[in-house]
Amino acid sequence: MVKTLLLLRHGKTEHRNYAIDHQRQLTPRGETQARFIGEFILGKGLIPEKVVSSSAARARKTAGICCDAVGFEGQVEVTDELYGLNTEELLRYIAGLDPELEAVLLVGHNPCFEEAASFLARKMVALGTGDCAWFTVDSADWNVLSGRTGIALNEIIKAD
């Protein structure tokens, strides 16, 4: 069974006037980036069965716009787990995904997403704001990611 893993870094954000990082909002450019990624995913037929977003405002908005563009009819799962985690924690989170799922989109933050993408790709991967790493996992189980077996980086989808 071939699975699809999409790691999407939130879109461009505002930096001013936010006392709490968690509340930062997307800029119009960030909204455009999220829409572009959603349209790309739709065009490739990579419609996720499950979408999970960090609880940060910018990630939730990115996920929502992307899902609208994709035509995702499910509900975006929002979790604090994808905010502020490290690479090892992200890989454990992915390994714990339901093995029945064939396509998953995770929306979160750097440096974790970039480091995890680099680890899985076995090379340095740059994920700018709004960029998405598209992986294929040739396995019946998500747990193979920690050993990096059966996983291939298909593309880094650049948002702009």
Side-chain angles (χ1 to χ4, degrees):
M1 174 185 305
V2 177
K3 299 179 179 301
T4 298
L5 174 65
L6 299 160
L7 298 178
L8 174 58
R9 183 178 174 201
H10 65 77
K12 185 76 175 159
T13 61
E14 297 176 340
H15 291 284
R16 290 180 242 150
N17 302 325
Y18 288 96
I20 300 173
D21 177 72
H22 208 260
Q23 296 173 349
R24 286 177 34 214
Q25 299 293 317
L26 291 181
T27 63
R29 177 177 162 211
E31 293 177 6
T32 299
Q33 290 172 321
R35 194 170 303 103
F36 173 82
I37 295 297
E39 291 168 356
F40 181 95
I41 290 169
L42 177 63
K44 293 290 185 179
L46 303 172
I47 314 301
E49 296 170 88
K50 180 175 183 130
V51 178
V52 185
S53 173
S54 156
S55 58
R58 61 194 180 273
R60 291 192 324 263
K61 183 74 171 184
T62 298
I65 293 169
C66 182
C67 286
D68 285 347
V70 166
F72 178 72
E73 295 181 1
Q75 185 151 1
V76 175
E77 181 180 323
V78 176
T79 180
D80 289 333
E81 278 187 88
L82 293 183
Y83 180 79
L85 75 172
N86 64 39
T87 303
E88 185 177 311
E89 292 165 332
L90 177 58
L91 293 172
R92 272 198 306 267
Y93 182 87
I94 296 167
L97 290 169
D98 182 344
E100 296 298 316
L101 294 169
E102 293 183 22
V104 176
L105 169 64
L106 302 179
V107 184
H109 312 271
N110 272 356
C112 177
F113 272 44
E114 186 173 81
E115 291 170 356
S118 295
F119 174 81
L120 295 171
R122 293 186 174 103
K123 65 180 184 179
M124 291 302 296
V125 170
L127 285 181
T129 54
D131 292 349
C132 183
W134 167 22
F135 290 95
T136 300
V137 182
D138 189 11
S139 175
D141 192 338
W142 292 100
N143 199 26
V144 299
L145 298 181
S146 61
R148 297 187 290 189
T149 57
I151 186 159
L153 175 64
N154 292 305
E155 188 171 348
I156 298 298
I157 308 159
K158 296 292 187 183
D160 48 20

